[in-house]
Amino acid sequence: VPVSQNGYIACDISRTRLWKIRGTDTYVRLRRGAPGRLLWELASWFHGNVEPIDRGQRDDWGYAERQIRDSRVWSNHSSGTAIDLNALKHPMGKRGTFTDRQQRLIRSWLSDHDGCVRWGGDYRGRPDEMHFEIAASVEACRRALYGS
């Protein structure tokens, strides 16, 4: 059974569902349960607080059965535990595509959710500012959403 980088079962679309980002007409396929809900909450919050999810541009992605670029490791997208937002505005490899204020907002949201989501803008190597991924167990995601 393939497993994504963060340890979730990968390449099984039946473990995902479509989530409609609040305030938009955009649907993103993400994992069922707390991990997907946490990413959906992030995307909906992002739309209202960081920058609007582009209307008409399909550059917001979730589930995709693929390996990490230049790797044999399954991407967290392959388990529905990663989302890319406004990818055309925040291309992989570019740093500083968000303002300082936007970065503070993003980091504050991540902190408020117990580090269950990791942001590609914090990668030490190749930055990926469009990218957010689950970095915790289902139970930790549940606690971050609903408390203990």
Side-chain angles (χ1 to χ4, degrees), residues 8-77:
Y8 285 82
I9 293 173
C11 303
D12 183 353
I13 199 168
S14 73
R15 294 177 183 271
T16 69
R17 61 165 272 210
L18 286 174
W19 299 78
K20 185 176 187 281
I21 298 173
R22 229 179 358 247
T24 76
D25 60 357
T26 300
Y27 288 83
V28 180
R29 182 168 291 282
L30 299 168
R31 191 148 194 103
R32 294 181 183 276
R37 183 171 187 91
L38 192 55
L39 291 173
W40 170 77
E41 292 273 351
L42 166 65
S44 297
W45 170 86
F46 180 99
H47 173 70
N49 295 279
V50 176
E51 66 183 21
I53 300 293
D54 298 329
R55 296 184 189 276
Q57 277 183 257
R58 296 295 175 211
D59 65 344
D60 308 290
W61 306 299
Y63 181 80
E65 292 182 13
R66 63 178 182 77
Q67 294 174 330
I68 296 171
R69 191 176 293 183
D70 303 323
S71 168
R72 291 197 178 274
V73 176
W74 285 101
S75 164
N76 294 329
H77 286 283

Side-chain angles (χ1 to χ4, degrees), residues 18-141:
L18 286 174
W19 299 78
K20 185 176 187 281
I21 298 173
R22 229 179 358 247
T24 76
D25 60 357
T26 300
Y27 288 83
V28 180
R29 182 168 291 282
L30 299 168
R31 191 148 194 103
R32 294 181 183 276
R37 183 171 187 91
L38 192 55
L39 291 173
W40 170 77
E41 292 273 351
L42 166 65
S44 297
W45 170 86
F46 180 99
H47 173 70
N49 295 279
V50 176
E51 66 183 21
I53 300 293
D54 298 329
R55 296 184 189 276
Q57 277 183 257
R58 296 295 175 211
D59 65 344
D60 308 290
W61 306 299
Y63 181 80
E65 292 182 13
R66 63 178 182 77
Q67 294 174 330
I68 296 171
R69 191 176 293 183
D70 303 323
S71 168
R72 291 197 178 274
V73 176
W74 285 101
S75 164
N76 294 329
H77 286 283
S78 70
S79 60
T81 59
I83 190 169
D84 293 339
L85 298 173
N86 289 344
L88 297 177
K89 286 184 179 177
H90 309 290
M92 184 187 295
K94 278 196 106 174
R95 203 172 291 285
T97 65
F98 288 100
T99 66
D100 289 345
R101 179 184 172 280
Q102 288 172 316
Q103 289 182 46
R104 281 193 304 277
L105 287 168
I106 290 167
R107 288 197 175 93
S108 177
W109 190 96
L110 297 173
S111 175
D112 289 347
H113 291 83
D114 302 326
C116 288
V117 178
R118 180 173 38 230
W119 178 39
D122 288 331
Y123 289 173
R124 289 200 174 120
R126 177 178 56 203
D128 195 3
E129 293 188 350
M130 72 178 95
H131 182 82
F132 298 86
E133 63 190 18
I134 296 297
S137 68
V138 171
E139 188 52 43
C141 292

